[in-house]
């Protein structure tokens, strides 16, 4: 209660800071992270390993696999990293344009440290020493069918690699197991998606059949592993070389895919303890 009253006093008096991107650490710590903590710790029983590979200070580009029909994996990753990292670092997530065109969702994304997935913003954040999180599969990753679970989709044209190269920032691949099972997508109603101007319209075992109850994620067991960082400082002059960018993006993708296979062997039952 004392913490809650102190938070209200800060909000009413304006005694809090918001950066140029709209990030509000005070609101994130007091409201959003406690909610996400209930999900990742108690509902998903998340185990996090390899956090020592994330720098204690200075910039790094954290690159993960995307899944789950709804992009909870990005939020869970940011909250778990903040809690488990010895320096309690914030992960500044890069999101698709659609996220920042949606009322309420856009505001929440900005307040929790997100910004549009574009190279200028990524480079500004990295240049300022931040941890930046990116999911290069985009909607292809979160909108894939359950039959294609844990098969990484294309990483686009490697824009994230260019941003890392231009700033000499290490790339930290991260593999996330568990997101695929929270809303297993059995079908994509493409005509309805086009009508609603959405990248896909999912049909899951519970949605849309159960209405709002279908939005409750299934309690799958999550494993998150941060892999050793890939240095880029020696390649800063190759940021515009398509071959270097492609090879580095492929190295990151292959690292995540192989780590996913290892984690799946450790977690044979998606809903086990």
């Amino acid at each position: 209660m004392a913490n809650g009253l102190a938070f209200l006093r800060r909000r009413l008096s304006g005694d809090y800071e918001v950066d140029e991107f709209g990030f509000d650490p005070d609101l994130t710590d007091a409201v959003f992270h406690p909610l996400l903590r209930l999900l990742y710790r108690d509902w998903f029983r998340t185990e996090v390993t390899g956090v020592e590979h994330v720098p204690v200070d200075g910039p790094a580009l954290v690159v993960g696999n995307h899944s789950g029909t709804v992009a909870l994996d990005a939020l869970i990753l940011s909250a778990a990293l903040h809690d488990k990292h010895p320096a309690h670092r914030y992960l500044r997530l890069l999101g698709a344009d659609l996220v920042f065109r949606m009322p309420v969702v856009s505001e929440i994304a900005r307040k929790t440290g997100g910004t549009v997935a574009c190279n200028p913003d990524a480079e500004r954040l990295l240049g300022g020493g931040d941890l930046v999180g990116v999911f290069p599969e985009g909607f292809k990753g979160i909108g894939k069918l359950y039959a294609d679970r844990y098969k990484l989709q294309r990483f686009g044209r490697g824009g994230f690699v260019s941003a890392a190269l231009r700033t000499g920032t290490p790339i930290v691949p991260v593999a996330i197991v568990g997101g695929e099972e929270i809303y297993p997508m059995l079908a994509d109603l493409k005509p309805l998606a086009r009508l609603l101007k959405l990248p896909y319209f999912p049909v899951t075992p519970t949605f849309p059949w159960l209405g709002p109850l279908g939005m409750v994620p299934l309690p799958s067991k999550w494993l998150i592993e941060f892999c050793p960082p890939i240095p880029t400082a020696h390649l800063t002059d190759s940021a515009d070389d398509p071959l270097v960018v492609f090879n580095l993006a492929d190295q990151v993708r292959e690292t995540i895919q192989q780590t996913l296979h290892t984690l799946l062997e450790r977690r044979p039952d998606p809903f086990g303890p």
Side-chain angles (χ1 to χ4, degrees), residues 155-176:
F155 268 19
R157 290 175 290 183
F160 71 96
V161 170
S162 298
L165 291 177
R166 286 194 176 90
T167 55
T169 300
I171 298 173
V172 180
V174 59
I176 305 170

Side-chain angles (χ1 to χ4, degrees), residues 198-220:
L198 297 173
Y200 53 87
F201 189 91
V203 175
T204 77
T206 59
F207 183 84
W209 326 113
L210 299 184
L213 284 176
M215 293 301 294
V216 177
L218 298 178
S220 57

Side-chain angles (χ1 to χ4, degrees), residues 49-100:
T49 55
V51 74
E52 67 275 7
H53 296 309
V54 180
V56 174
D57 53 35
L61 186 65
V62 179
V63 183
N65 58 297
H66 224 5
S67 65
T69 305
V70 175
L72 274 181
D73 51 5
L75 301 177
I76 295 297
L77 177 66
S78 64
L81 173 58
H82 179 267
D83 285 357
K84 301 295 183 181
H85 194 278
H88 300 296
R89 301 195 67 183
Y90 295 103
L91 184 64
R92 308 298 296 273
L93 295 169
L94 303 182
D97 292 348
L98 176 63
V99 172
F100 297 94

